[in-house]
Amino acid sequence: MQPLVQVADRQIALGRAQIQVQRGATLPTISAGAAYGMDTVTVPRTGDLGWQGAVTLSMPIFGFGAHKDRIAAAQEQVAALRAARQALILQIDSQIAHDYGAAQAAEKTFDNDRKTAHEAFSVYTMTRKGYFAGALNALNLAQAEGSWVRTRLRLASARIAVQMTRAQLELDMGRYPAEKKEISRT
């Protein structure tokens, strides 16, 4: 499904077609022709109409070495295209493995940030209760609230990172990412 591999496959098919064209240039050609009229008679006479037919066979005698060289060059080109395709596949596989690792790391970071945000909210809730009970001051409440807000921002960044790494993985695999696909664990 990777578009670059599809392009490489088409180039190889084109190279194979060029080999066939070069092989076809070494084959004999047969042609036939027919004519009717005054000019067709071998001995011209006035007013005589006649038929004439011809079959010709032509075979390239000279230049066989040049044709063989062209065929060999086309075969070498196809071999080079196949090697380039294999190298491309290895490069794509490496990139997909890297993208998969990045996606896994982003998901773990998201999970950790989600737990941290949950804990920060719990701390904020307890601090708020302590503030209203008179055990804690406004500075403690502001610090707890600031910590909770920062963890929520990190959680949002982690969510974006998960979506971006998944999208990059999909693109490198040759697929368009789903437009309405969201994180299943929110």
Side-chain angles (χ1 to χ4, degrees):
M1 290 180 13
Q2 223 307 326
L4 295 175
V5 175
Q6 291 177 352
V7 168
D9 289 339
R10 297 296 178 240
Q11 288 175 338
I12 290 171
L14 179 64
R16 287 181 184 154
Q18 288 175 348
I19 291 172
Q20 295 303 321
V21 166
Q22 292 300 327
R23 285 186 180 155
T26 63
L27 298 176
T29 56
I30 299 173
S31 58
Y36 176 77
M38 291 183 68
D39 295 338
T40 61
V41 183
T42 6
V43 180
R45 293 184 220 155
T46 0
D48 279 346
L49 295 176
W51 284 94
Q52 180 179 7
V55 176
T56 58
L57 171 68
S58 63
M59 181 160 177
I61 297 175
F62 303 104
F64 275 132
H67 288 300
K68 287 181 183 179
D69 290 344
R70 288 183 196 138
I71 291 171
Q75 288 171 338
E76 288 175 10
Q77 182 182 8
V78 168
L81 288 171
R82 284 184 183 150
R85 180 184 181 275
Q86 287 301 98
L88 178 66
I89 288 173
L90 290 175
Q91 181 183 8
I92 290 170
D93 287 346
S94 173
Q95 185 64 39
I96 288 173
H98 176 267
D99 291 346
Y100 181 74
Q104 292 296 321
E107 287 182 16
K108 286 182 182 180
T109 302
F110 175 72
D111 287 341
N112 290 336
D113 287 346
R114 190 179 69 206
K115 290 175 187 173
T116 304
H118 179 68
E119 293 299 322
F121 179 70
S122 297
V123 169
Y124 169 70
T125 303
M126 288 188 286
T127 306
R128 188 170 173 234
K129 287 179 184 177
Y131 173 74
F132 286 126
L136 298 172
N137 59 23
L139 179 63
N140 298 123
L141 181 63
Q143 288 174 340
E145 185 178 13
S147 176
W148 177 50
V149 168
R150 283 190 299 278
T151 58
R152 289 179 59 203
L153 288 173
R154 278 196 305 266
L155 180 64
S157 296
R159 181 176 300 171
I160 291 169
V162 166
Q163 291 174 345
M164 294 296 288
T165 55
R166 284 182 182 175
Q168 186 63 48
L169 179 62
E170 291 289 323
L171 286 172
D172 286 341
M173 289 173 39
R175 297 188 298 236
Y176 288 111
E179 292 176 354
K180 295 184 180 181
K181 189 175 183 181
E182 292 185 19
I183 298 175
S184 59
R185 298 174 282 163
T186 54

